Each structure stands twice: as C-alpha cells, then as structure tokens.
Amino acid sequence: MAIERTLSIIKPDAVAKNVIGQIESRFENAGLKIAEMQLKQLSKEEAEGFYAEHKERPFFADLVSFMISGPVVVQVLEGENAILANRDLMGATNPKEAAAGTIRADFAESIDANAVHGSDSAASAAREIAYFFGK
Ligand code: RTP
Ligand code: MG
C-alpha cells in the first residue's frame, strides 16, 4: 500500500456549522494523519486559482463566492491510499446522492455548500498541496 498525501478543505458551510472537530474525527478514525493544517480566509484570487480547472463552468462564479464567504480549514491528509480514502469518506459531490455515513451525507446541505473538498487524483493532490503549502 502506498502512503499518499492529499489536499483537504473544510469549506465555509462546515466551519460555520461548528463541525470542524467532527469532520476531523472521521479522518482520524480512518487512519489519516493531519500533516499540515491552517484555518484561513481565502482571497478571491486564491479561490479562483485553486479552482482554475473549473473556470469555464457555469457554476464557477458561485463556487468562488461560496469559498470566500467565510474561513476554511486547508489541510494535508497523509496515509495509505489517502487520495481515494478521503474521497470515500467525503461521499458524492451532491449530498443528496452521497452514501449514508459519509461527511457530505451527514454535514452538507447542497451541491454548492457541500462541506469538504478533496483532491481527485495524484496529479491534483500534488498541484493543490503545492498551491497552499509549497513544496
Ligand atoms: P471538490 O473539488 O470541492 O472536492 O468537489 P468534487 O471534486 O466532488 O466536485 P468538482 O466537480 O471538482 O466541483 C467542484 C465544486 O464545484 C461545485 N459544483 N457545483 N452546480 C453544479 O453543478 C456544481 N458542480 C460542482 C461543488 O461545490 C463542487 O464541490
Ligand atoms: Mg473536484
């Protein structure tokens, strides 16, 4: 099994709901370690750069506005198959389609305010970790 690192964000809706600890417990209980962690307010430029791959999508402006609507937790999770393990813990993008017991099923309200972000591939993880934490 490969030890991987993945970029995780606890989004503004989940921070506002005061469930940072409950979400971190999901990661800890699954054996993922928090290797880097920062509570921060993203700037518009930071959010636009982070989601640059989506800049032509119709939801891009709403996504950026949402991501800067309050503080987020930006963090690096480390562990066996961390990228897929995190995506499994998160559940589907739309919380209405997320499997029972996943973070989005339990804490998210809508496809826009969906509680967490997680890198979707090794290439995304490398880019996203470097974006917030450097090499
Ligand atoms: P994330 O990047 O936040 O971990 O989520 P994801 O991979 O599950 O979803 P992705 O396709 O990368 O989309 C990024 C975020 O954009 C919002 N979105 N809205 N209205 C829509 O159709 C729509 N589609 C995506 C979601 O908040 C999603 O997390
Ligand atoms: Mg994504």
Side-chain angles (χ1 to χ4, degrees):
M1 287 275 188
I3 300 296
E4 292 176 338
R5 290 183 151 213
T6 191
L7 195 281
S8 162
I9 300 178
I10 301 178
K11 295 186 178 183
D13 57 316
V15 173
K17 279 169 106 173
N18 210 24
V19 293
I20 294 173
Q22 291 185 63
I23 291 174
E24 299 294 16
S25 292
R26 304 285 176 103
F27 300 138
E28 292 174 352
N29 291 338
L32 295 174
K33 293 196 182 315
I34 301 166
E36 303 273 2
M37 180 185 214
Q38 191 179 9
L39 180 71
K40 67 182 293 185
Q41 172 66 50
L42 299 183
S43 69
K44 183 161 180 277
E45 293 67 31
E46 261 177 322
E48 286 174 347
F50 181 71
Y51 279 119
E53 66 182 310
H54 294 312
K55 68 173 181 292
E56 306 303 335
R57 308 279 285 277
F59 57 80
F60 181 70
D62 287 344
L63 174 60
V64 169
S65 306
F66 169 66
M67 290 300 288
I68 64 173
S69 64
V72 298
V73 176
V74 181
Q75 59 190 355
V76 176
L77 303 177
E78 184 178 281
E80 280 184 9
N81 294 320
I83 297 164
L84 195 57
N86 181 39
R87 297 286 294 190
D88 286 347
L89 292 168
M90 289 163 57
T93 307
N94 185 346
K96 292 182 178 62
E97 294 164 8
T102 60
I103 292 168
R104 282 167 166 164
D106 291 345
F107 299 111
E109 302 306 326
S110 68
I111 193 166
D112 302 300
N114 63 0
V116 281
H117 163 83
S119 307
D120 60 11
S121 66
S124 296
R127 183 186 73 78
E128 293 173 359
I129 291 168
Y131 188 80
F132 284 115
F133 295 104
K135 292 285 169 191

